[in-house]
Structures are given as structure tokens and as C-alpha cells.
């Protein structure tokens, strides 16, 4: 079974803090993704990576950066957290030919 | 702007009935179509994917794709209360890694 894990299920941070969200997958998938999910807006892609050190912006990259130093790990960084970044953050991974994405359990981030 | 549309619901069906969930998409280049189930507070889990026109069956679930009309649907036969969840439709365009997600339809199966 594909396993995608995320470093925290719940996180509470203060405005202006630097926040790291980590995602690890154990199936040797090339592609990894970060989404945020908000009520009424659905899932929106923040960034994705198709290989180590390779990344592309998604639909809402502003205020976020990512890092992929190893194939199995994809980190999302909020450089200076703001209250409008309070959301559920979901990581996913996939093989390039399959296009099927497998999701981690999610991190519910609250920025106060 | 590529879009995927779903009725937000809730769609309420009695236990044992067929639940029909629909999704329309705007990008004619869409090639792959996915249905995910998401329980409240949990992450999406894949139910089915379909690439070709027609029906694809897996147990109680049937996905139907009509590319000419640009819609994809999910039928759940013999609905159970445990099927109560939000169902997300996702669409992938040829040659891209990106999904476009709908906002989901909330299904309630009444015991």
C-alpha cells in the first residue's frame, strides 16, 4: 500500500512565524504535491514537484515555498505565516505515468 | 479558466438506494477522471478512475464517462450509511501532472 505521511495532524502558529510542513512517501513516487483545502473552495494546488530539486508553481503559490532535497520528502514552507493561511494542508504523491494521486492524512494549520 | 463543477448537495438517499453523483468539466483536453471520497476531517481517498468513454464498474461503484458531453458520474448501488461523505471529482489534462478538483458533493445515506 502507498503510504504518505505528514509531520503533524494539527498545528497552531502565530502570525509572522516561519512554518514547516513535511510530507514523506514510501513508494518511490516521482511526483509530489501540496494542496490547501478550504470550505467552498475545494482543493487548490500550491506547488508540485516532479523530481528531486524540481518544482513548479501551482495555482496559489504566493506566500509559500517548497523544498525537495530527497525523492521521498517534500516540504512546504510558510515564510511568514498569516491568518489567511489557516487551512487544511494536504500532501499527495503519484507515479508520472499513472496520474493517480495518493493523499496524506492532512495537517490542519491554525494561524493566530 | 478550466473548471470542474459539482452540485454541493447534500444529496440524501435512503439506505439501499442508488446514489448518483455528477460532475461536468470545461476542458475538452481532459483525459483522466477520478472520484475521491472524503470523510469529514479526513483526507481524500481514491475510489475510481476512468479514462475511456463508457462505464467502469468496481463492486458497488460505477463510473460513467461521456467526453462528448463533458461529464462524468459516479453511481453507488445499495448505498450504506458508511457511504455518507463528500465525493470529489478530479480531472487531469493530457500531458500535465495537475488535477483540477471540483468542490465536492456531500452525500447522506439515511438509515
Amino acid at each position: 500500500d502507498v503510504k504518505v505521511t505528514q509531520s503533524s495532524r494539527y498545528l497552531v502558529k502565530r502570525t509572522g512565524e516561519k512554518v514547516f510542513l513535511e510530507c514523506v512517501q514510501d513508494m518511490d513516487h516521482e511526483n509530489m504535491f501540496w494542496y490547501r483545502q478550504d470550505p467552498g473552495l475545494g482543493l487548490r494546488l500550491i506547488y508540485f514537484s516532479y523530481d528531486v530539486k524540481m518544482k513548479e508553481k501551482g495555482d496559489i503559490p504566493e506566500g509559500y515555498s517548497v523544498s525537495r532535497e530527497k525523492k521521498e520528502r517534500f516540504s512546504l514552507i510558510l515564510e511568514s505565516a498569516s491568518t489567511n493561511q489557516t487551512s487544511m494542508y494536504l500532501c499527495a504523491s503519484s507515479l508520472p505515468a499513472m496520474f493517480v494521486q495518493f493523499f496524506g492524512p492532512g495537517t490542519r494549520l491554525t494561524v493566530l | 479558466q478550466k473548471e470542474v463543477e459539482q452540485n454541493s448537495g447534500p444529496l440524501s438517499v435512503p439506505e439501499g438506494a442508488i446514489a448518483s453523483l455528477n460532475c461536468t468539466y470545461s476542458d475538452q483536453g481532459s483525459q483522466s477522471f477520478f472520484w475521491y471520497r472524503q470523510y469529514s476531517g479526513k483526507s481524500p481517498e481514491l475510489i475510481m478512475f476512468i479514462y475511456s468513454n463508457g462505464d467502469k464498474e468496481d463492486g458497488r461503484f460505477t463510473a460513467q464517462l461521456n467526453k462528448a458531453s463533458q461529464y462524468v458520474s459516479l453511481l453507488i448501488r445499495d448505498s450504506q450509511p458508511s457511504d455518507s461523505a463528500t465525493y470529489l471529482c478530479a480531472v487531469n489534462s493530457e500531458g500535465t501532472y495537475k488535477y483540477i478538483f471540483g468542490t465536492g458533493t456531500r452525500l447522506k445515506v439515511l438509515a
Side-chain angles (χ1 to χ4, degrees), chain A residues 15-69:
Chain A
T15 302
E17 280 192 77
K18 191 168 186 175
V19 181
F20 293 86
L21 303 181
E22 293 209 318
C23 175
V24 178
Q25 50 92 6
D26 68 356
M27 286 304 292
D28 204 35
H29 285 175
E30 281 80 2
N31 300 334
M32 296 188 75
F33 307 81
W34 275 107
Y35 294 90
R36 63 177 284 177
Q37 186 175 31
D38 301 287
L41 296 177
L43 276 86
R44 294 179 291 167
L45 182 65
I46 304 172
Y47 267 98
F48 69 100
S49 169
Y50 50 91
D51 203 349
V52 175
K53 297 191 186 296
M54 306 303 289
K55 62 187 179 186
E56 284 198 25
K57 293 179 180 179
D59 300 316
I60 50 163
E62 297 79 17
Y64 303 95
S65 61
V66 290
S67 171
R68 193 163 180 204
E69 297 296 320

Side-chain angles (χ1 to χ4, degrees), chain A residues 9 31 33 35 37 40-43 45 48 50 59 88 90 96 98-106, chain B residues 32 34 36 38 41-46 49 51 88 92-103:
Chain A
R9 288 287 283 124
N31 300 334
F33 307 81
Y35 294 90
Q37 186 175 31
L41 296 177
L43 276 86
L45 182 65
F48 69 100
Y50 50 91
D59 300 316
M88 170 71 95
L90 292 160
M98 286 291 292
F99 298 115
V100 174
Q101 295 186 16
F102 299 92
F103 285 85
Chain B
S32 310
F34 307 85
Y36 284 83
Q38 187 174 25
K42 303 293 186 182
S43 63
E45 55 179 326
L46 181 72
F49 58 89
Y51 300 142
L88 304 175
N92 170 262
S93 295
E94 185 178 17
T96 77
Y97 300 115
K98 292 174 61 173
Y99 281 10
I100 307 294
F101 278 90
T103 53

